[in-house]
Amino acid sequence: LIVALLHAELPEEIGGRVLDLVGGNPLFAEQYGSLLLDRGLLVRAIDGLHLEVTEELPLPETVQAVLAARLDTLSPEHKAFLCDAAVIGETFWRGGVAALSGCAASEVEEAMEALADRDLVRPMVSASMAGEAEYIFWHALARDVAYAQLPRRVRLAKHTAAADWLRAKAGERVEELAYHYATALDLARATGDRERAEGLLGPAVHYLSKAADRNLALDVAVAEQQYAHALGLVSDDAPQRPWLLARWAEALQQRGRFRESADAFLSAADGLRSRGDLPSAAAALARSWGPLNDLGDPRAQAVVADAEHLLEGTPDSPELVAVLAERAVEHTMCGDWRAAVASAERALTVAGELGLDLPARALGFRGMARCLGGDAGGIDDLRRALAEAQRQGLGRDVAVLQSNLGMGLALHHGFREVLGVHREGLEYAQRHGIEEFVLSFRAELIEDLTGTGDWDEALDEVATLRPVLERADFAWMLVTVRTNELQILARRGGEAIAAAPTAGLLGAARQSELPEDTIQTLFACAEAAQALGDGARALALLSECVAVPDAGAATGYAWCLAEAVRVALGAGDPALAARLIEVTTGEGPMHERGLASARAALLEHRGDVDEAAEAHAAAASLWCEFGDPYEEGRALLGQGRCLVALGRAPEAAAPLAAAREIFARLGARPALAETDAVLADAGLAPGAGA
């Protein structure tokens, strides 16, 4: 490397010492070679490099020391220009250095050419600021060393000057302005310059919050740190503090820090209300619903309604649109889809009347509510809302709507199509640092994989995600993940289901205000109880599920209905099985399929075997189209069992063989054993008719 950098072999008398010194560090090698040239210790000749002096070579122990030694070889003017450039940043502009130094731009340009010859800076091919030549330090470490040459009071003056120049030249560069004003403020406080610190506080907070607003859609971690920095600069009674708290709360939520987020939203709402800003207070209060709900905090039940009440009698406003959108979210999650649609449509109307951008969140949750209510047209709403959120740069809402689009597709087209949507959403959340939705998409993928029969992959993901959710205090998502895990274990049987704890899971689900959590968990625990031979407990859990208000409208109810009916019949309670079917009130393809399999199972139990065989066959076709192999296998098993009972064993061979292949692939041992028993009773070998 040294030979390549110097374009010549090192003389023997220094080669060994240099190699020992740099110790394999390429940056050290590069800078040390340049230092020897800068000091005139090595000179080029026709036959190579020669050592010109007999004194000992300089032996600095760090790269920084090498760079500092190189800077000492510069003229005072060039060194001062380089230090001014270091104040501006790793990249800097000719005009900025001129402003800080008080010299002409032509002098700066001449100096930069000389510094470029020494490989300390280099010009950028295309400048990011119109009309300004732009440069970059050859190494970031060179910039750090140059910056360190300046005393703190000088840095304070230079950062202030850099900010003033940048604001006049390119006021939209809020990131750099935030850096310069905040750094200048820190230096003013550190040096005891109170008067200057007071003057810098306002600009520092302003540009930090502006930079954070921009980063919230790009890099949530950076935005959260900038909001926190701005909050750390202002006093508890500062007028801008509640607004900063509300924005910080949003960043905290996206980072998965739900407890801090909820507290910040509620504190912001109190502060805004005390200042008489009811619209902003209502918006902050409504937004607290999300993290409170994620925590399973009972306060979530009242905050959105309280936010609406705050706005009663006030003129329509953008904040009202935001509150109505949150009301639509809450109604959707709680299963009141008509109310969700009504709130969303009112938000859309108010936004239109005020001339605001289309509220993507409201439109998206109208679409979600429509999908949950059986209206496939909701998918069009979801796609349009997602496109609008992307156009407006609404980082978190893009993730929300991508998630909801996946759920809408699952309800109406099955699980296979959803995997790609949710994986795309996970990639988006990871790229933008939205930890909340990194966790959420991972949990949703577990549910997708449960549905598609990729159970080994689902359980592997549970093992890695579950402890993360526990640390994050992500209550409702943890319930969902544990429910999917229990469902798979119950269907696989064996020792794993015996070791699966359900008491804590049931307690968490019962505390939730979301019917989806409660219902699907009750069904999974009933499956587990039946798998362990406790039919009485299974029936008690199913009875509890039926008693949940509006249970039959829930998506989870439709997905688990057929297995729940089979559990009730297996535990000897056909009346409860019939009741499970009767309370089903939802509409759409998922409910259609759940009802098809459940009714087929009840027909078979009642002895209507001929009709049941046809019903099972129809259900198998529906589940195959939907991409749920377990339910497809169960329907095929039911069809084969009915055909055997009708004395049509040869016809039963194909559906039974198909069912057996599915259960073997899934590792669903109880269903596989049941299939083998039917095959044996019919005198058919396993795999016959495949």
Side-chain angles (χ1 to χ4, degrees):
L1 174 62
I2 293 172
V3 168
L5 290 167
L6 299 178
H7 307 291
E9 294 286 345
L10 281 170
E12 291 182 7
E13 67 270 25
I14 64 169
R17 281 182 290 169
V18 170
L19 293 175
D20 288 342
L21 176 65
V22 302
N25 183 326
L27 180 57
F28 203 151
E30 177 188 40
Q31 294 302 317
Y32 191 74
S34 296
L35 172 62
L36 295 177
L37 291 171
D38 290 344
R39 287 197 174 181
L41 298 177
L42 287 174
V43 294
R44 299 186 186 279
I46 296 175
D47 57 345
L49 292 168
H50 292 279
L51 190 64
E52 285 292 299
V53 293
T54 57
E55 66 186 54
E56 281 295 313
L57 293 174
L59 298 176
E61 295 182 355
T62 65
V63 180
Q64 289 91 334
V66 176
L67 285 163
R70 290 196 64 201
L71 264 57
D72 286 341
T73 67
L74 300 175
S75 69
E77 295 79 13
H78 286 186
K79 184 175 179 179
F81 282 140
L82 195 67
C83 291
D84 287 342
V87 170
I88 297 172
E90 188 176 349
T91 60
F92 56 93
W93 300 270
R94 177 183 55 200
V97 176
L100 268 62
S101 65
C103 296
S106 58
E107 292 181 65
V108 173
E109 187 167 3
E110 181 181 343
M112 290 304 136
E113 289 176 1
L115 293 169
D117 288 341
R118 292 200 176 199
D119 288 341
L120 288 168
V121 302
R122 55 191 169 92
M124 300 290 284
V125 175
S126 58
S128 62
M129 190 182 297
E132 281 292 340
E134 187 170 350
Y135 303 88
I136 186 170
F137 277 87
W138 195 265
H139 294 287
L141 199 57
R143 182 256 174 181
D144 294 342
V145 171
Y147 184 77
Q149 306 282 314
L150 298 172
R152 286 190 300 179
R153 289 189 180 277
V154 175
R155 292 183 203 171
L156 166 58
K158 298 284 187 181
H159 277 293
T160 304
D164 291 343
W165 175 81
L166 195 59
R167 184 166 61 176
K169 186 74 177 179
E172 76 283 357
R173 301 183 76 101
V174 293
E175 199 84 29
E176 291 101 322
L177 284 163
Y179 163 71
H180 287 299
Y181 279 122
T183 302
L185 175 60
D186 289 342
L187 289 165
R189 288 177 171 178
T191 56
D193 192 338
R194 294 184 179 179
E195 182 178 352
R196 188 170 286 187
E198 288 178 7
L200 289 166
L201 177 60
V205 171
H206 172 76
Y207 284 109
L208 276 169
S209 61
K210 286 287 187 183
D213 289 344
R214 181 174 295 181
N215 278 318
L216 195 58
L218 303 172
D219 189 327
V220 176
V222 170
E224 186 271 317
Q225 291 166 5
Q226 288 170 328
Y227 286 130
H229 190 175
L231 279 164
L233 296 176
V234 301
S235 61
D236 290 344
D237 59 353
Q240 66 267 56
R241 187 173 185 82
W243 285 273
L244 283 171
L245 272 173
R247 299 297 287 159
W248 184 50
E250 186 173 346
L252 288 169
Q253 180 184 10
Q254 295 186 46
R255 296 210 69 192
R257 291 160 59 182
F258 303 122
R259 181 65 61 193
E260 294 171 86
S261 173
D263 290 344
F265 271 129
L266 293 172
S267 295
D270 288 343
L272 291 163
R273 191 181 314 183
S274 70
R275 285 164 174 75
D277 188 348
L278 295 184
S280 296
L285 189 60
R287 286 303 304 271
S288 73
W289 182 86
L292 288 171
N293 176 65
D294 291 336
L295 292 164
D297 192 312
R299 290 179 294 175
Q301 300 175 18
V303 289
V304 185
D306 290 346
E308 270 196 295
H309 292 153
L310 271 181
L311 293 178
E312 288 178 358
T314 65
D316 288 349
S317 62
E319 290 81 6
L320 174 61
V321 174
V323 170
L324 290 169
E326 291 309 306
R327 194 62 156 156
V329 175
E330 182 190 31
H331 285 316
T332 301
M333 298 295 285
C334 294
D336 192 347
W337 302 318
R338 290 186 178 85
V341 169
S343 292
E345 289 185 343
R346 187 179 168 210
L348 292 165
T349 299
V350 173
E353 291 172 349
L354 294 175
L356 304 175
D357 280 337
L358 180 70
R361 189 169 176 82
L363 177 61
F365 275 90
R366 184 182 77 174
M368 190 72 258
R370 290 175 66 191
C371 286
L372 289 164
D375 180 359
I379 293 175
D380 293 334
D381 276 352
L382 284 165
R383 292 191 189 281
R384 183 180 170 211
L386 177 59
E388 186 64 23
Q390 291 168 334
R391 185 189 71 79
Q392 294 179 31
L394 306 177
R396 181 179 184 272
D397 280 340
V398 172
V400 171
L401 295 167
Q402 186 84 15
S403 170
N404 288 356
L405 176 60
M407 185 181 295
L409 290 170
L411 290 170
H412 291 272
H413 299 288
F415 292 107
R416 287 200 187 99
E417 193 171 337
V418 179
L419 280 169
V421 173
H422 282 162
R423 283 181 172 138
E424 183 180 337
L426 175 59
E427 181 184 344
Y428 174 88
Q430 289 171 328
R431 190 167 64 250
H432 290 78
I434 310 176
E435 290 299 321
E436 170 197 12
F437 271 89
V438 170
L439 299 178
S440 182
F441 278 118
R442 287 178 65 187
E444 288 171 344
L445 282 166
I446 289 171
E447 189 160 42
D448 300 340
L449 293 166
T450 302
T452 58
D454 297 297
W455 291 355
D456 288 332
E457 187 178 349
L459 291 176
D460 287 344
E461 183 62 17
V462 169
T464 59
L465 181 59
R466 182 171 168 176
V468 177
L469 292 174
E470 288 169 347
R471 289 195 299 272
D473 206 10
F474 205 159
W476 74 269
M477 190 58 72
L478 183 59
V479 168
T480 301
V481 167
R482 291 182 61 196
T483 296
N484 290 142
E485 177 188 30
L486 185 62
Q487 188 178 51
I488 294 171
L489 295 177
R491 294 176 181 185
R492 284 193 160 175
E495 296 179 1
I497 186 59
T502 59
L505 175 59
L506 272 172
R510 286 167 174 151
Q511 290 175 8
S512 174
E513 66 168 312
L514 305 179
E516 289 288 346
D517 288 350
T518 308
I519 291 163
Q520 200 164 333
T521 302
L522 286 169
F523 275 149
C525 289
E527 278 192 60
Q530 180 77 335
L532 293 169
D534 191 347
R537 177 166 171 74
L539 292 173
L541 290 167
L542 292 177
S543 298
E544 182 181 347
C545 187
V546 170
V548 173
D550 298 319
T555 305
Y557 191 98
W559 187 28
C560 300
L561 174 62
E563 188 72 2
V565 166
R566 289 190 288 267
V567 168
L569 293 173
D573 194 339
L576 178 57
R579 178 66 180 150
L580 285 163
I581 294 173
E582 288 169 6
V583 301
T584 306
T585 56
E587 299 178 0
M590 183 71 81
H591 284 84
E592 176 190 358
R593 283 155 176 77
L595 282 170
S597 280
R599 286 168 177 159
L602 195 58
L603 284 169
E604 182 183 355
H605 182 81
R606 289 172 175 172
D608 299 327
V609 184
D610 201 348
E611 188 177 352
E614 294 182 6
H616 279 306
S621 178
L622 288 171
W623 285 115
C624 178
E625 176 191 21
F626 223 55
D628 188 326
Y630 181 76
E631 282 299 335
E632 179 190 356
R634 274 294 187 181
L636 289 167
L637 172 57
Q639 179 191 4
R641 191 170 48 233
C642 289
L643 290 171
V644 169
L646 291 166
R648 295 157 58 185
E651 294 178 54
L656 288 172
R660 190 181 192 286
E661 186 278 327
I662 289 172
F663 297 140
R665 174 164 50 85
L666 296 175
R669 289 184 289 271
L672 181 61
E674 188 179 344
T675 307
D676 284 344
V678 175
L679 285 164
D681 288 345
L684 298 170

